[in-house]
Amino acid sequence: MSRSIQFAKAGGAEVLEFIDTAVPAPGPHEVRIKVKAIGINRAEAMWRVDDYIEPVKFPAGLGYEAAGIVDAVGQDVQGIAVGDAVNVMPSFSMNEYTTYGEVILMPAYAVIPQPKSLSFEEAASVWMMFVTAYGALIETAKVGLGDFVVIPAASSSVGLAALQIANYAGATTIALTRTSAKRAQLLELGAKHVVATEEVDLTQEIGRITGGQGVRVVFDPVGGPTFSKLVSLLSFQGIALIYGALSPDVTSIPVLNMISKMTTVRAHNIWGTSGDESRRKVAVEYVLKGIESGQLKPVIDRTFKFDEMKEVHRYLEQNGQFGKIVVTL
Protein backbone atom coordinates (compact mmCIF):
# COMPACT_ATOMS: atom_id res chain seq x y z
CA MET A 1 0.00 0.00 0.00
CA SER A 2 1.09 3.56 -0.70
CA ARG A 3 -0.15 6.89 0.54
CA SER A 4 -1.03 9.46 -2.07
CA ILE A 5 -2.98 12.70 -2.19
CA GLN A 6 -6.28 13.23 -3.99
CA PHE A 7 -9.08 15.77 -3.95
CA ALA A 8 -12.74 15.16 -4.74
CA LYS A 9 -13.73 18.78 -5.44
CA ALA A 10 -12.09 22.09 -6.26
CA GLY A 11 -11.20 24.34 -3.37
CA GLY A 12 -8.60 25.50 -0.88
CA ALA A 13 -5.80 23.43 0.59
CA GLU A 14 -8.31 21.76 2.91
CA VAL A 15 -9.68 19.65 0.01
CA LEU A 16 -6.43 17.68 -0.19
CA GLU A 17 -6.85 14.21 1.32
CA PHE A 18 -4.43 11.36 2.05
CA ILE A 19 -5.57 8.01 0.74
CA ASP A 20 -4.09 4.51 0.86
CA THR A 21 -3.93 2.70 -2.45
CA ALA A 22 -2.28 -0.36 -3.90
CA VAL A 23 0.04 0.86 -6.64
CA PRO A 24 -0.20 -1.58 -9.56
CA ALA A 25 2.70 -3.02 -11.46
CA PRO A 26 3.80 -0.72 -14.27
CA GLY A 27 2.17 -1.28 -17.62
CA PRO A 28 3.96 -1.24 -20.96
CA HIS A 29 6.19 1.83 -21.24
CA GLU A 30 5.65 2.73 -17.56
CA VAL A 31 8.03 3.03 -14.61
CA ARG A 32 7.22 2.71 -10.90
CA ILE A 33 9.16 5.00 -8.58
CA LYS A 34 9.58 5.09 -4.82
CA VAL A 35 9.49 8.84 -4.24
CA LYS A 36 12.12 10.64 -2.15
CA ALA A 37 11.21 14.26 -2.92
CA ILE A 38 8.50 16.23 -4.71
CA GLY A 39 8.92 19.62 -6.37
CA ILE A 40 5.94 21.93 -5.82
CA ASN A 41 4.62 24.16 -8.59
CA ARG A 42 2.10 26.97 -8.79
CA ALA A 43 0.36 24.99 -11.54
CA GLU A 44 -0.68 22.44 -8.91
CA ALA A 45 -2.46 25.08 -6.82
CA MET A 46 -4.27 26.22 -9.98
CA TRP A 47 -5.15 22.57 -10.69
CA ARG A 48 -6.52 22.17 -7.16
CA VAL A 49 -9.01 25.01 -7.70
CA ASP A 50 -9.82 23.74 -11.22
CA ASP A 51 -8.50 26.90 -12.86
CA TYR A 52 -5.79 25.45 -15.11
CA ILE A 53 -5.15 24.89 -18.80
CA GLU A 54 -7.37 21.79 -18.84
CA PRO A 55 -10.39 20.82 -16.70
CA VAL A 56 -9.89 18.49 -13.74
CA LYS A 57 -11.47 15.03 -13.77
CA PHE A 58 -12.55 14.18 -10.21
CA PRO A 59 -11.45 12.50 -8.03
CA ALA A 60 -8.05 13.83 -8.96
CA GLY A 61 -4.44 13.57 -7.95
CA LEU A 62 -1.83 16.22 -8.57
CA GLY A 63 1.87 16.84 -9.00
CA TYR A 64 4.31 17.31 -11.89
CA GLU A 65 7.78 16.72 -10.39
CA ALA A 66 9.48 14.09 -8.26
CA ALA A 67 12.80 12.40 -7.59
CA GLY A 68 13.23 8.86 -6.34
CA ILE A 69 14.33 5.27 -6.92
CA VAL A 70 12.94 2.95 -9.60
CA ASP A 71 11.39 -0.16 -8.05
CA ALA A 72 9.79 -1.70 -11.16
CA VAL A 73 9.75 -1.21 -14.93
CA GLY A 74 7.14 -2.22 -17.47
CA GLN A 75 7.47 -4.10 -20.71
CA ASP A 76 9.46 -2.39 -23.47
CA VAL A 77 11.09 0.13 -21.11
CA GLN A 78 14.70 0.64 -22.15
CA GLY A 79 17.55 2.50 -20.46
CA ILE A 80 15.88 2.52 -17.03
CA ALA A 81 16.51 -0.22 -14.43
CA VAL A 82 15.34 -1.11 -10.94
CA GLY A 83 17.49 0.77 -8.43
CA ASP A 84 18.19 3.76 -10.67
CA ALA A 85 17.92 7.24 -9.15
CA VAL A 86 15.58 9.14 -11.47
CA ASN A 87 13.62 12.36 -11.85
CA VAL A 88 10.21 13.11 -13.35
CA MET A 89 10.08 15.62 -16.19
CA PRO A 90 6.71 17.44 -16.40
CA SER A 91 5.36 16.22 -19.74
CA PHE A 92 1.95 14.69 -19.07
CA SER A 93 -1.59 15.57 -18.03
CA MET A 94 -2.35 15.44 -14.30
CA ASN A 95 -5.56 13.70 -15.33
CA GLU A 96 -3.35 10.74 -16.29
CA TYR A 97 -0.27 10.78 -14.03
CA THR A 98 0.60 12.56 -10.76
CA THR A 99 3.53 12.75 -8.36
CA TYR A 100 2.01 13.43 -4.92
CA GLY A 101 2.50 9.91 -3.59
CA GLU A 102 4.93 7.61 -1.82
CA VAL A 103 5.05 5.28 -4.83
CA ILE A 104 4.01 6.53 -8.28
CA LEU A 105 3.63 5.31 -11.84
CA MET A 106 5.09 7.41 -14.63
CA PRO A 107 5.32 7.11 -18.41
CA ALA A 108 8.87 6.09 -19.31
CA TYR A 109 9.33 9.13 -21.57
CA ALA A 110 8.93 11.41 -18.51
CA VAL A 111 11.62 9.62 -16.48
CA ILE A 112 15.22 10.82 -16.73
CA PRO A 113 18.39 9.86 -14.85
CA GLN A 114 19.10 12.04 -11.84
CA PRO A 115 22.15 14.33 -12.16
CA LYS A 116 24.84 12.75 -10.00
CA SER A 117 25.81 16.05 -8.39
CA LEU A 118 22.32 16.73 -7.02
CA SER A 119 20.51 15.48 -3.94
CA PHE A 120 16.97 14.14 -4.29
CA GLU A 121 15.63 17.45 -2.94
CA GLU A 122 17.65 19.47 -5.46
CA ALA A 123 16.81 17.16 -8.35
CA ALA A 124 13.08 17.40 -7.63
CA SER A 125 13.34 21.17 -8.02
CA VAL A 126 15.15 21.68 -11.33
CA TRP A 127 13.25 20.31 -14.31
CA MET A 128 10.05 22.38 -14.37
CA MET A 129 11.91 25.61 -13.71
CA PHE A 130 14.86 25.18 -16.05
CA VAL A 131 13.10 23.47 -18.97
CA THR A 132 10.24 26.01 -18.92
CA ALA A 133 12.74 28.86 -19.06
CA TYR A 134 14.97 27.09 -21.59
CA GLY A 135 12.08 26.49 -23.99
CA ALA A 136 11.03 30.13 -23.94
CA LEU A 137 14.38 31.90 -23.85
CA ILE A 138 16.65 29.58 -25.82
CA GLU A 139 14.39 27.62 -28.18
CA THR A 140 11.87 30.36 -28.99
CA ALA A 141 13.45 33.75 -28.29
CA LYS A 142 17.03 32.63 -29.01
CA VAL A 143 18.36 34.94 -26.31
CA GLY A 144 22.01 35.87 -26.67
CA LEU A 145 24.75 38.39 -26.08
CA GLY A 146 23.53 41.99 -25.97
CA ASP A 147 19.86 41.19 -25.39
CA PHE A 148 17.95 42.84 -22.56
CA VAL A 149 15.58 40.32 -20.92
CA VAL A 150 12.86 41.39 -18.47
CA ILE A 151 11.79 38.74 -15.94
CA PRO A 152 8.70 39.57 -13.85
CA ALA A 153 8.06 37.59 -10.63
CA ALA A 154 11.80 37.01 -10.65
CA SER A 155 11.94 35.36 -7.23
CA SER A 156 9.66 32.50 -8.30
CA SER A 157 11.37 29.21 -9.20
CA VAL A 158 10.92 29.69 -12.96
CA GLY A 159 11.87 33.36 -12.61
CA LEU A 160 15.16 32.42 -10.96
CA ALA A 161 15.76 29.76 -13.61
CA ALA A 162 15.14 32.36 -16.32
CA LEU A 163 17.67 34.70 -14.71
CA GLN A 164 20.29 31.98 -14.72
CA ILE A 165 19.59 30.78 -18.27
CA ALA A 166 19.54 34.31 -19.71
CA ASN A 167 22.84 35.04 -17.95
CA TYR A 168 24.23 31.71 -19.21
CA ALA A 169 23.33 32.82 -22.75
CA GLY A 170 25.11 36.17 -22.30
CA ALA A 171 22.05 38.44 -22.01
CA THR A 172 21.52 41.37 -19.64
CA THR A 173 18.85 40.41 -17.12
CA ILE A 174 16.33 42.80 -15.56
CA ALA A 175 14.54 41.22 -12.61
CA LEU A 176 11.16 42.64 -11.60
CA THR A 177 9.96 42.35 -8.01
CA ARG A 178 7.30 44.28 -6.13
CA THR A 179 9.55 45.78 -3.43
CA SER A 180 13.25 45.98 -2.65
CA ALA A 181 13.01 43.24 -0.01
CA LYS A 182 14.52 40.60 -2.33
CA ARG A 183 16.88 42.91 -4.24
CA ALA A 184 20.06 41.62 -2.59
CA GLN A 185 19.12 37.97 -3.18
CA LEU A 186 18.33 38.61 -6.83
CA LEU A 187 21.59 40.47 -7.40
CA GLU A 188 23.50 37.69 -5.66
CA LEU A 189 21.91 35.14 -7.98
CA GLY A 190 23.07 37.13 -11.01
CA ALA A 191 20.40 39.67 -11.94
CA LYS A 192 22.18 42.57 -13.65
CA HIS A 193 19.40 44.97 -12.69
CA VAL A 194 16.55 44.76 -10.18
CA VAL A 195 13.45 46.94 -10.53
CA ALA A 196 11.02 47.22 -7.60
CA THR A 197 7.81 47.91 -9.49
CA GLU A 198 5.92 49.40 -6.52
CA GLU A 199 8.73 51.86 -5.79
CA VAL A 200 9.72 53.28 -9.18
CA ASP A 201 8.15 54.05 -12.55
CA LEU A 202 8.70 50.87 -14.55
CA THR A 203 8.71 52.51 -17.99
CA GLN A 204 11.17 55.21 -16.97
CA GLU A 205 13.48 52.73 -15.21
CA ILE A 206 13.59 50.35 -18.19
CA GLY A 207 14.28 53.33 -20.45
CA ARG A 208 17.18 54.34 -18.22
CA ILE A 209 18.65 50.82 -18.09
CA THR A 210 18.39 50.21 -21.85
CA GLY A 211 19.37 53.71 -22.95
CA GLY A 212 15.91 54.17 -24.42
CA GLN A 213 16.13 51.22 -26.82
CA GLY A 214 13.74 48.92 -24.95
CA VAL A 215 14.09 45.23 -24.21
CA ARG A 216 14.15 42.39 -26.71
CA VAL A 217 12.46 39.77 -24.50
CA VAL A 218 9.84 39.74 -21.74
CA PHE A 219 9.12 36.44 -19.96
CA ASP A 220 5.98 36.87 -17.87
CA PRO A 221 4.00 34.45 -15.65
CA VAL A 222 1.46 36.99 -14.40
CA GLY A 223 -0.52 38.62 -17.21
CA GLY A 224 -3.28 40.98 -16.09
CA PRO A 225 -3.18 44.76 -16.49
CA THR A 226 0.62 45.00 -16.25
CA PHE A 227 1.16 42.83 -19.32
CA SER A 228 0.22 45.61 -21.72
CA LYS A 229 2.87 47.85 -20.16
CA LEU A 230 5.46 45.07 -20.40
CA VAL A 231 4.73 44.59 -24.10
CA SER A 232 5.13 48.32 -24.67
CA LEU A 233 8.65 48.07 -23.24
CA LEU A 234 9.78 45.85 -26.11
CA SER A 235 12.26 47.08 -28.69
CA PHE A 236 11.66 46.80 -32.44
CA GLN A 237 10.67 43.19 -33.27
CA GLY A 238 10.94 42.18 -29.63
CA ILE A 239 9.02 39.24 -28.17
CA ALA A 240 6.89 38.85 -25.03
CA LEU A 241 6.25 35.31 -23.81
CA ILE A 242 3.45 34.66 -21.34
CA TYR A 243 3.59 31.32 -19.53
CA GLY A 244 1.16 31.83 -16.66
CA ALA A 245 -1.98 33.67 -15.69
CA LEU A 246 -1.41 34.41 -12.02
CA SER A 247 -3.37 37.64 -12.22
CA PRO A 248 -7.14 37.12 -12.02
CA ASP A 249 -7.69 40.26 -14.09
CA VAL A 250 -8.10 40.61 -17.84
CA THR A 251 -4.87 40.49 -19.84
CA SER A 252 -4.79 43.01 -22.68
CA ILE A 253 -2.19 43.91 -25.30
CA PRO A 254 -1.25 47.32 -26.83
CA VAL A 255 -2.11 46.56 -30.44
CA LEU A 256 -1.02 49.86 -32.02
CA ASN A 257 2.28 49.81 -30.17
CA MET A 258 2.82 46.24 -31.37
CA ILE A 259 2.05 47.14 -34.97
CA SER A 260 4.43 50.10 -34.93
CA LYS A 261 7.30 48.01 -33.54
CA MET A 262 6.32 44.69 -35.18
CA THR A 263 6.51 42.92 -31.84
CA THR A 264 5.36 39.39 -31.01
CA VAL A 265 3.26 38.09 -28.13
CA ARG A 266 3.44 34.34 -27.71
CA ALA A 267 1.98 31.86 -25.23
CA HIS A 268 4.38 29.31 -23.74
CA ASN A 269 4.33 26.18 -21.62
CA ILE A 270 6.83 23.43 -20.88
CA TRP A 271 5.02 20.82 -22.97
CA GLY A 272 6.28 22.36 -26.20
CA THR A 273 9.74 21.18 -25.15
CA SER A 274 9.12 18.27 -22.79
CA GLY A 275 6.39 16.76 -24.97
CA ASP A 276 8.68 16.32 -27.97
CA GLU A 277 11.28 13.55 -27.74
CA SER A 278 14.07 15.27 -29.66
CA ARG A 279 13.52 18.69 -28.07
CA ARG A 280 13.32 17.12 -24.61
CA LYS A 281 16.66 15.37 -25.15
CA VAL A 282 18.39 18.60 -26.19
CA ALA A 283 16.85 20.47 -23.23
CA VAL A 284 18.05 17.85 -20.75
CA GLU A 285 21.56 18.02 -22.20
CA TYR A 286 21.53 21.82 -21.98
CA VAL A 287 20.41 21.83 -18.35
CA LEU A 288 22.86 19.09 -17.36
CA LYS A 289 25.73 21.00 -18.96
CA GLY A 290 24.67 24.15 -17.10
CA ILE A 291 24.48 22.31 -13.79
CA GLU A 292 27.85 20.64 -14.32
CA SER A 293 29.48 23.98 -15.17
CA GLY A 294 27.91 25.71 -12.16
CA GLN A 295 26.02 28.19 -14.35
CA LEU A 296 22.64 26.67 -13.39
CA LYS A 297 21.94 25.97 -9.74
CA PRO A 298 18.80 24.76 -7.96
CA VAL A 299 17.41 27.33 -5.55
CA ILE A 300 15.29 25.84 -2.77
CA ASP A 301 13.26 28.19 -0.63
CA ARG A 302 12.01 25.71 1.95
CA THR A 303 11.41 21.99 2.46
CA PHE A 304 8.38 20.37 4.07
CA LYS A 305 7.38 16.83 5.01
CA PHE A 306 4.80 14.90 2.97
CA ASP A 307 2.38 14.99 5.92
CA GLU A 308 2.44 18.80 5.70
CA MET A 309 1.05 19.07 2.16
CA LYS A 310 -1.91 21.24 3.13
CA GLU A 311 0.49 23.69 4.80
CA VAL A 312 2.69 23.48 1.69
CA HIS A 313 -0.14 24.71 -0.53
CA ARG A 314 -1.06 27.48 1.88
CA TYR A 315 2.56 28.62 1.95
CA LEU A 316 2.76 28.44 -1.86
CA GLU A 317 -0.24 30.72 -2.24
CA GLN A 318 1.28 33.41 -0.03
CA ASN A 319 3.68 34.15 -2.93
CA GLY A 320 6.52 34.92 -0.57
CA GLN A 321 9.03 32.23 -1.49
CA PHE A 322 12.41 32.75 -3.11
CA GLY A 323 12.91 29.70 -5.28
CA LYS A 324 11.41 26.24 -5.11
CA ILE A 325 9.31 24.60 -2.44
CA VAL A 326 10.22 20.92 -2.01
CA VAL A 327 8.48 18.16 -0.06
CA THR A 328 10.52 15.23 1.30
CA LEU A 329 9.43 11.67 1.99
Side-chain angles (χ1 to χ4, degrees), residues 14 81 152 175 205-206 232 234 259 279 281 300 310 318 322:
E14 68 277 359
E205 190 65 7
I206 295 299
S232 71
L234 291 171
I259 292 171
R279 292 172 67 181
K281 182 176 183 293
I300 296 177
K310 292 181 182 180
Q318 292 173 7
F322 189 89

Side-chain angles (χ1 to χ4, degrees), residues 24-26 30-34 69-74 77 80-83 104-105:
E30 287 187 329
V31 176
R32 194 170 68 190
I33 302 168
K34 185 175 182 180
I69 302 292
V70 174
D71 81 342
V73 296
V77 172
I80 302 171
V82 172
I104 60 175
L105 288 179

